[in-house]
């Protein structure tokens, strides 16, 4: 029962363009969402979050959009830079009704020069 | 400024062998977690702890045991390793359950 799903295993974007990473969730009780970024041989690091009372949260080049009716969130990176090449995980605090984070499968983003 | 430290970073085990993965955090966090990362599966919660002396099962606990005898340490044990336990293991800690997780750099385990 994958509660948080990232259906695109990989994404390739040209440097300077917009990267859009998508995430779907099944549990309408989720009230908070996070994005983590992971480089090879490192642990995931927190990138940005959004509360369900908002539909948008922006932090520099990174913006997360939340569509509660569609149970969908997306991460926009504008403009994309080579250092953005990493695996991105979306997550929500909702493991079996408790508040432990459940993660999506991850999307590998490659930024091409 | 170490954060979360995992040891070892790499290990190869034979089927049936046992081992313990150590996680240490220096941020005085109450909550600690063990996740495994597998291709196409993302990060899955194995076990977690909400404080010293406590442990609880996560999503994929079978074949693993944990202990939290000291607040700063969270140990993950494999009693009899199986090839299905080949994975990258991440430890994390946090002040709250809902986020602010700090992850270690991972342990790559191969069971042959």
């Amino acid at each position: 029962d994958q509660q948080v799903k990232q259906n695109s295993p990989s994404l390739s974007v040209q440097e300077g363009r917009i990267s859009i990473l998508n995430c779907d969730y099944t549990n309408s009780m989720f009230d908070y969402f996070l994005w983590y970024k992971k480089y090879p041989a490192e642990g995931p690091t927190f990138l940005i979050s959004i509360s369900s009372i908002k539909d948008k949260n922006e932090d520099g080049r990174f913006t997360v959009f939340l569509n509660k009716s569609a149970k969908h969130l997306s991460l926009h990176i504008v403009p994309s830079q080579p250092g953005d090449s990493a695996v991105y995980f979306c997550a929500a605090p909702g493991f079996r009704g408790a508040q432990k984070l459940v993660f999506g499968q991850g999307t590998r983003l490659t930024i091409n020069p | 400024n170490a954060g979360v430290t995992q040891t070892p970073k790499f290990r190869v085990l034979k089927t049936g062998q046992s081992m313990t993965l150590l996680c240490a955090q220096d941020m005085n966090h109450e909550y600690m977690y063990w996740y495994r990362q597998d291709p196409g599966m993302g990060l899955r919660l194995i076990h977690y702890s909400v404080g010293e002396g406590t442990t609880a099962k996560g999503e994929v606990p079978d074949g693993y045991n944990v202990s939290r005898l000291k607040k700063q340490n969270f140990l993950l044990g494999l009693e009899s390793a199986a090839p299905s336990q080949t994975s990258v293991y991440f430890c994390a800690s946090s002040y709250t359950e809902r986020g602010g997780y700090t992850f270690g750099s991972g342990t790559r385990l191969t069971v042959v």
Side-chain angles (χ1 to χ4, degrees):
Chain A
D1 58 341
Q2 189 81 26
Q3 298 187 79
V4 180
K5 300 179 183 179
Q6 295 174 258
N7 293 317
S8 297
S10 62
L11 176 67
S12 185
V13 174
Q14 193 169 3
E15 182 178 357
R17 298 289 184 99
I18 183 172
S19 296
I20 301 176
L21 294 92
N22 294 306
C23 180
D24 297 302
Y25 61 94
T26 58
N27 190 339
S28 59
M29 299 300 291
F30 286 161
D31 62 352
Y32 184 66
F33 301 89
L34 308 91
W35 284 93
Y36 279 78
K37 178 178 181 179
K38 184 187 176 305
Y39 292 119
E42 295 183 11
T45 56
F46 171 72
L47 184 60
I48 192 171
S49 63
I50 187 167
S51 167
S52 63
I53 63 173
K54 296 185 176 182
D55 54 18
K56 176 182 174 181
N57 189 29
E58 195 170 349
D59 183 1
R61 297 185 298 112
F62 302 91
T63 303
V64 57
F65 295 92
L66 177 61
N67 182 334
K68 291 186 288 293
S69 62
K71 296 193 183 71
H72 177 83
L73 63 155
S74 60
L75 174 68
H76 293 214
I77 306 173
V78 182
S80 300
Q81 299 176 352
D84 297 329
S85 295
V87 177
Y88 291 79
F89 294 97
C90 64
F95 170 66
R96 292 179 188 166
Q99 296 296 301
K100 312 301 175 290
L101 290 185
V102 289
F103 288 83
Q105 301 96 316
T107 296
R108 180 178 302 278
L109 176 64
T110 302
I111 306 301
N112 301 307
Chain B
N1 199 22
V4 176
T5 303
Q6 291 183 233
T7 52
K9 295 191 183 303
F10 303 95
R11 185 73 185 267
V12 178
L13 283 180
K14 293 183 178 179
T15 298
Q17 286 185 319
S18 64
M19 78 163 295
T20 300
L21 282 67
L22 172 64
C23 177
Q25 54 98 359
D26 61 2
M27 297 169 286
N28 202 35
H29 286 169
E30 287 293 335
Y31 301 92
M32 296 189 75
Y33 318 86
W34 277 105
Y35 284 87
R36 60 178 287 175
Q37 182 193 6
D38 301 292
M41 304 294 290
L43 292 159
R44 293 182 293 169
L45 183 64
I46 305 172
H47 285 281
Y48 62 96
S49 168
V50 300
E52 181 178 319
T54 74
T55 63
K57 293 181 179 180
E59 183 182 1
V60 287
D62 294 343
Y64 305 95
N65 56 75
V66 287
S67 64
R68 184 111 181 258
L69 298 179
K70 294 182 178 181
K71 186 177 183 178
Q72 63 268 34
N73 296 335
F74 195 29
L75 279 63
L76 178 71
L78 285 74
E79 293 181 343
S80 179
S84 61
Q85 293 177 305
T86 294
S87 186
V88 181
Y89 292 85
F90 289 100
C91 175
S93 69
S94 66
Y95 276 123
T96 72
E97 300 176 283
R98 290 169 54 81
Y101 287 27
T102 299
F103 282 87
S105 59
T107 296
R108 182 174 294 276
L109 175 66
T110 302
V111 183
V112 297

